[in-house]
Amino acid sequence: MPHHDLMLTPAGPALAPRYREPNTPEPRTSPPTTRTPAKAAIPKRRTPAQAIPAKPLTPAKAVTSGPRTPATPRTGAYRRLFTVPGARAFTLGNLVARLPMGMLGVSAVIMIAGAYGSYALAGAVTATGMAATAVVAPWTARLVDRHGQARVAVPATALAVLGSLALLLCVHHRAPVWTLFVAYAVTATSPNTGGMSRARWAHLLRDDHATLHTANAFEQAVDELCFMLGPVLAAFLCTALFPEAGTLAGAVLLLTGVLVFTGQRSTEPPVAPRSTTAPGSLLRGSGTVRLLGVFLATGAVFGAMEVVTLAHVDGPVAGPILALQAAGSCAAGLVYGRTGRSGRLRTCLVAMTCLMTLPFLGASTGSLLALAGGLLVAGMATAPTMVTGMALVQRLTPPGRLNEGMTLAVTALLAGVAVGSATGGWAAEHAPSTAYAFLIPTAAAALALVQEATRTAQARGAVRE
């Protein structure tokens, strides 16, 4: 049985256990000294070396020296994201440069249709610009990877801005129709500002995968925000000021944002040496091609949903109702980024396929409120799918070619949007009811899921071989 000694501590007297081996006499450290009567009843004290075999528990110690409970890892994830040196500056510039993504197309349609009286012509001109972007954008991204963001993005943006201004002048002076196609095709040199921003995050957070996941989720939320605010801002400028105001404002914002973004040289990823960069086209890799097929089908979901919703609602509230899908995606993306970990792309596509049935069910009831709720919830599957898909692109892309890989993914999305828009428009016109046309986005999501399942199965088979 342990005995206890009474010892003095800074917080007062405390009991310290005293251990004695059986049948072993207690060692004596020094001859007994003369004690006062008040201390005669106190047992003999040991020396400090003998008297501290156990940690005395004092009130002061219990409060100050106990282990603190660690904070939740993802609390304030986005706040910590912008503590990275230089992150706020390049994010602000990129946000300004990315806002015209949702402005220029809508502005061109309003401007051309108002001047020439033909929405068909306006649609043909913007479609030509999209096709030119699908061809030129991967080459621009490859030059960015090879020579650096600032050296390529600034002149490429200046050329794109000149194309927008040329289109503005041609429309204002009612130039021949062919000049509109040429001028708008020049805007295809505009760099992928979202891809360049993601490349910077990937460089700055290359050793912190959880925070990189948060950064990718933030970037996707910014995309959704720009696609929500851009068309609204463009329509307001074109109607409240003059028809060319949207295009002019978009060109100024694009050039200003790119100049601010590329001016942050401290966060720019270094250019990879030619010897360490994989030669040839990224399309030669079978895994990349199959993944681009997934992005193509996913883009068809977005394109079809937009056209079908506009055809079904057909009124001034069509825009706000359609914006609910982007709002749901933006909110879900921010929540997904706080988790600090990325899920599986196939799981995200399963959720998207299921949730894309909700707009069809809402439209079938004939209630715009039910349709709005269905679009809001369905949009919540968009951002997690895109964040996971872009993270997969980053893992599959060779070092030094990240901008090119992400631009190929965006190009596949744009091509899918074009295919989905055409298919959705045809279905809205020929289906017994426009509500049935909402099955097109569901079918496109299911196609993306099948392609991803096939891709992962083939990848596993290749690993086993």
PDB file of all heavy atoms in Angstrom, residues 6-15 56-60:
ATOM      1  N   LEU A   6       2.876  14.707   3.079  1.00  0.00           N
ATOM      2  CA  LEU A   6       2.309  16.029   2.858  1.00  0.00           C
ATOM      3  C   LEU A   6       3.418  16.944   2.372  1.00  0.00           C
ATOM      4  O   LEU A   6       4.428  17.114   3.045  1.00  0.00           O
ATOM      5  CB  LEU A   6       1.723  16.580   4.165  1.00  0.00           C
ATOM      6  CG  LEU A   6       0.973  17.915   4.025  1.00  0.00           C
ATOM      7  CD1 LEU A   6      -0.264  17.726   3.176  1.00  0.00           C
ATOM      8  CD2 LEU A   6       0.608  18.438   5.419  1.00  0.00           C
ATOM      9  N   MET A   7       3.242  17.483   1.151  1.00  0.00           N
ATOM     10  CA  MET A   7       4.280  18.353   0.594  1.00  0.00           C
ATOM     11  C   MET A   7       3.660  19.690   0.229  1.00  0.00           C
ATOM     12  O   MET A   7       2.453  19.798  -0.029  1.00  0.00           O
ATOM     13  CB  MET A   7       4.947  17.735  -0.633  1.00  0.00           C
ATOM     14  CG  MET A   7       3.989  17.478  -1.786  1.00  0.00           C
ATOM     15  SD  MET A   7       4.840  16.758  -3.179  1.00  0.00           S
ATOM     16  CE  MET A   7       5.958  18.090  -3.564  1.00  0.00           C
ATOM     17  N   LEU A   8       4.499  20.706   0.222  1.00  0.00           N
ATOM     18  CA  LEU A   8       4.045  22.051  -0.078  1.00  0.00           C
ATOM     19  C   LEU A   8       4.245  22.339  -1.556  1.00  0.00           C
ATOM     20  O   LEU A   8       5.313  22.105  -2.104  1.00  0.00           O
ATOM     21  CB  LEU A   8       4.822  23.074   0.757  1.00  0.00           C
ATOM     22  CG  LEU A   8       4.622  22.949   2.278  1.00  0.00           C
ATOM     23  CD1 LEU A   8       5.497  23.955   3.009  1.00  0.00           C
ATOM     24  CD2 LEU A   8       3.154  23.151   2.650  1.00  0.00           C
ATOM     25  N   THR A   9       3.201  22.851  -2.211  1.00  0.00           N
ATOM     26  CA  THR A   9       3.257  23.228  -3.622  1.00  0.00           C
ATOM     27  C   THR A   9       2.867  24.689  -3.738  1.00  0.00           C
ATOM     28  O   THR A   9       2.318  25.273  -2.794  1.00  0.00           O
ATOM     29  CB  THR A   9       2.284  22.361  -4.437  1.00  0.00           C
ATOM     30  OG1 THR A   9       0.950  22.692  -4.029  1.00  0.00           O
ATOM     31  CG2 THR A   9       2.515  20.887  -4.194  1.00  0.00           C
ATOM     32  N   PRO A  10       3.108  25.322  -4.890  1.00  0.00           N
ATOM     33  CA  PRO A  10       2.721  26.737  -5.041  1.00  0.00           C
ATOM     34  C   PRO A  10       1.253  26.977  -4.812  1.00  0.00           C
ATOM     35  O   PRO A  10       0.841  28.077  -4.450  1.00  0.00           O
ATOM     36  CB  PRO A  10       3.113  27.061  -6.497  1.00  0.00           C
ATOM     37  CG  PRO A  10       4.190  26.084  -6.804  1.00  0.00           C
ATOM     38  CD  PRO A  10       3.867  24.844  -6.027  1.00  0.00           C
ATOM     39  N   ALA A  11       0.404  25.952  -5.030  1.00  0.00           N
ATOM     40  CA  ALA A  11      -1.034  26.132  -4.829  1.00  0.00           C
ATOM     41  C   ALA A  11      -1.487  25.732  -3.439  1.00  0.00           C
ATOM     42  O   ALA A  11      -2.663  25.729  -3.141  1.00  0.00           O
ATOM     43  CB  ALA A  11      -1.797  25.322  -5.872  1.00  0.00           C
ATOM     44  N   GLY A  12      -0.542  25.305  -2.563  1.00  0.00           N
ATOM     45  CA  GLY A  12      -0.942  24.887  -1.227  1.00  0.00           C
ATOM     46  C   GLY A  12      -0.468  23.486  -0.936  1.00  0.00           C
ATOM     47  O   GLY A  12       0.222  22.851  -1.731  1.00  0.00           O
ATOM     48  N   PRO A  13      -0.793  22.919   0.250  1.00  0.00           N
ATOM     49  CA  PRO A  13      -0.365  21.554   0.585  1.00  0.00           C
ATOM     50  C   PRO A  13      -1.073  20.538  -0.295  1.00  0.00           C
ATOM     51  O   PRO A  13      -2.233  20.695  -0.653  1.00  0.00           O
ATOM     52  CB  PRO A  13      -0.766  21.411   2.056  1.00  0.00           C
ATOM     53  CG  PRO A  13      -1.850  22.421   2.261  1.00  0.00           C
ATOM     54  CD  PRO A  13      -1.555  23.550   1.346  1.00  0.00           C
ATOM     55  N   ALA A  14      -0.324  19.458  -0.653  1.00  0.00           N
ATOM     56  CA  ALA A  14      -0.880  18.381  -1.471  1.00  0.00           C
ATOM     57  C   ALA A  14      -0.276  17.076  -1.003  1.00  0.00           C
ATOM     58  O   ALA A  14       0.842  17.038  -0.459  1.00  0.00           O
ATOM     59  CB  ALA A  14      -0.580  18.610  -2.952  1.00  0.00           C
ATOM     60  N   LEU A  15      -0.979  15.999  -1.215  1.00  0.00           N
ATOM     61  CA  LEU A  15      -0.505  14.676  -0.821  1.00  0.00           C
ATOM     62  C   LEU A  15       0.306  14.065  -1.938  1.00  0.00           C
ATOM     63  O   LEU A  15      -0.159  13.974  -3.081  1.00  0.00           O
ATOM     64  CB  LEU A  15      -1.695  13.776  -0.479  1.00  0.00           C
ATOM     65  CG  LEU A  15      -2.485  14.173   0.793  1.00  0.00           C
ATOM     66  CD1 LEU A  15      -3.662  13.245   0.961  1.00  0.00           C
ATOM     67  CD2 LEU A  15      -1.580  14.116   2.015  1.00  0.00           C
ATOM     68  N   PRO A  56       2.001  15.992  -8.879  1.00  0.00           N
ATOM     69  CA  PRO A  56       0.973  16.558  -8.005  1.00  0.00           C
ATOM     70  C   PRO A  56      -0.061  17.312  -8.816  1.00  0.00           C
ATOM     71  O   PRO A  56       0.275  18.072  -9.704  1.00  0.00           O
ATOM     72  CB  PRO A  56       1.766  17.502  -7.096  1.00  0.00           C
ATOM     73  CG  PRO A  56       2.976  17.863  -7.872  1.00  0.00           C
ATOM     74  CD  PRO A  56       3.305  16.672  -8.721  1.00  0.00           C
ATOM     75  N   LEU A  57      -1.317  17.053  -8.523  1.00  0.00           N
ATOM     76  CA  LEU A  57      -2.410  17.695  -9.226  1.00  0.00           C
ATOM     77  C   LEU A  57      -2.850  18.911  -8.444  1.00  0.00           C
ATOM     78  O   LEU A  57      -3.396  18.782  -7.350  1.00  0.00           O
ATOM     79  CB  LEU A  57      -3.579  16.731  -9.410  1.00  0.00           C
ATOM     80  CG  LEU A  57      -3.273  15.502 -10.251  1.00  0.00           C
ATOM     81  CD1 LEU A  57      -4.482  14.603 -10.301  1.00  0.00           C
ATOM     82  CD2 LEU A  57      -2.836  15.906 -11.643  1.00  0.00           C
ATOM     83  N   THR A  58      -2.568  20.061  -8.940  1.00  0.00           N
ATOM     84  CA  THR A  58      -2.948  21.304  -8.284  1.00  0.00           C
ATOM     85  C   THR A  58      -3.951  22.012  -9.161  1.00  0.00           C
ATOM     86  O   THR A  58      -3.991  21.814 -10.376  1.00  0.00           O
ATOM     87  CB  THR A  58      -1.708  22.195  -8.075  1.00  0.00           C
ATOM     88  OG1 THR A  58      -1.237  22.582  -9.354  1.00  0.00           O
ATOM     89  CG2 THR A  58      -0.631  21.471  -7.309  1.00  0.00           C
ATOM     90  N   PRO A  59      -4.774  22.866  -8.585  1.00  0.00           N
ATOM     91  CA  PRO A  59      -5.748  23.579  -9.402  1.00  0.00           C
ATOM     92  C   PRO A  59      -5.113  24.388 -10.513  1.00  0.00           C
ATOM     93  O   PRO A  59      -5.616  24.436 -11.611  1.00  0.00           O
ATOM     94  CB  PRO A  59      -6.469  24.473  -8.386  1.00  0.00           C
ATOM     95  CG  PRO A  59      -6.283  23.786  -7.060  1.00  0.00           C
ATOM     96  CD  PRO A  59      -4.963  23.127  -7.131  1.00  0.00           C
ATOM     97  N   ALA A  60      -3.992  25.034 -10.232  1.00  0.00           N
ATOM     98  CA  ALA A  60      -3.367  25.845 -11.270  1.00  0.00           C
ATOM     99  C   ALA A  60      -2.892  24.984 -12.415  1.00  0.00           C
ATOM    100  O   ALA A  60      -3.051  25.308 -13.571  1.00  0.00           O
ATOM    101  CB  ALA A  60      -2.198  26.643 -10.669  1.00  0.00           C
TER     102      ALA A  60
END
